[in-house]
Amino acid sequence: MKKGKVLLNEGEKTNVSYFVSKGLLRAYTLDLNGKEHIIQFAPEDWWIGDRNSVYFNEPAVFNIDVLEDAEVVVITKAFMEQALDICPDFGKYNIYLLHNSIRHMQNRINKLLAATAEERYLDFIKLYPDLTLRIPQMMIASYLGVTPESLSRVRKALAQKHFRPNS
């Protein structure tokens, strides 16, 4: 898939999720003023989709697009159901992945509500170690819930402490 391709628009219905084998995708929403709020990045070996639509047949709440040329595996809801029927171990693994995803979402919500911008940035680097080199600072700021200017201040303060994100 080519960079810039839109895989899902908010309000559409879908029955597919994506597994990224190469490249980078993101899920985001737009507020009433048109400002982007990035919910998730999906680099290599990550899943991305809108569960609201796939599993509950409701309109998508997220937009999903391709940030870097990507190779993805498109997984339908029907395939997942078949795989669960055929292979019980797949079901156990899927439950583990769901719990892990929930764990990360709970941590993210907690960080957005209670952590400093610096703590959120450091957590971002832990979760997505190479993305600081692959995406614009404004997208990282959107994910962190801060302005690009605030993120610049955080990065400057960390640099003064001789912090290197990718070392």
Side-chain angles (χ1 to χ4, degrees):
M1 298 182 168
K2 289 290 185 193
K3 176 180 178 175
K5 181 172 177 58
V6 175
L7 302 178
L8 181 64
N9 287 300
E10 183 177 346
E12 295 176 348
K13 287 188 177 181
T14 187
N15 69 344
V16 301
S17 295
Y18 305 91
F19 177 81
V20 181
S21 59
K22 181 181 178 188
L24 181 63
L25 279 58
R26 71 171 171 165
Y28 66 97
T29 188
L30 297 171
D31 66 20
L32 295 176
N33 297 319
K35 182 179 175 187
E36 286 182 7
H37 300 277
I38 298 176
I39 306 303
Q40 177 191 358
F41 292 104
E44 292 79 8
D45 300 325
W46 280 59
W47 292 85
I48 193 167
D50 187 305
R51 289 185 178 276
N52 200 55
S53 189
V54 174
Y55 291 96
F56 298 97
N57 197 33
E58 295 177 2
V61 295
F62 303 125
N63 301 286
I64 298 175
D65 64 4
V66 180
L67 295 178
E68 293 177 352
D69 287 351
E71 294 174 8
V72 302
V73 179
V74 180
I75 308 291
T76 65
K77 180 182 176 190
F79 174 83
M80 290 296 283
E81 290 170 351
Q82 260 186 319
L84 292 169
D85 287 342
I86 294 168
C87 181
D89 285 340
F90 178 74
K92 291 176 190 171
Y93 181 64
N94 194 43
I95 289 170
Y96 168 79
L97 291 176
L98 288 171
H99 286 299
N100 194 43
S101 177
I102 291 167
R103 176 177 68 126
H104 284 291
M105 282 190 279
Q106 287 175 331
N107 184 47
R108 176 138 192 259
I109 291 167
N110 185 47
K111 295 275 185 191
L112 285 170
L113 295 174
T116 67
E118 182 176 302
E119 290 168 332
R120 283 182 265 161
Y121 181 62
L122 292 172
D123 196 56
F124 174 85
I125 291 168
K126 250 192 271 181
L127 185 61
Y128 299 115
D130 70 334
L131 288 195
T132 58
L133 304 173
R134 296 169 65 182
I135 58 174
Q137 186 169 315
M138 67 179 211
M139 284 189 185
I140 296 171
S142 171
Y143 177 88
L144 297 176
V146 300
T147 64
E149 296 79 15
S150 293
L151 180 56
S152 286
R153 284 190 292 275
V154 166
R155 291 170 56 124
K156 182 178 179 182
L158 287 169
Q160 289 172 345
K161 297 176 190 176
H162 303 290
F163 173 79
R164 301 269 184 245
N166 297 317
S167 55

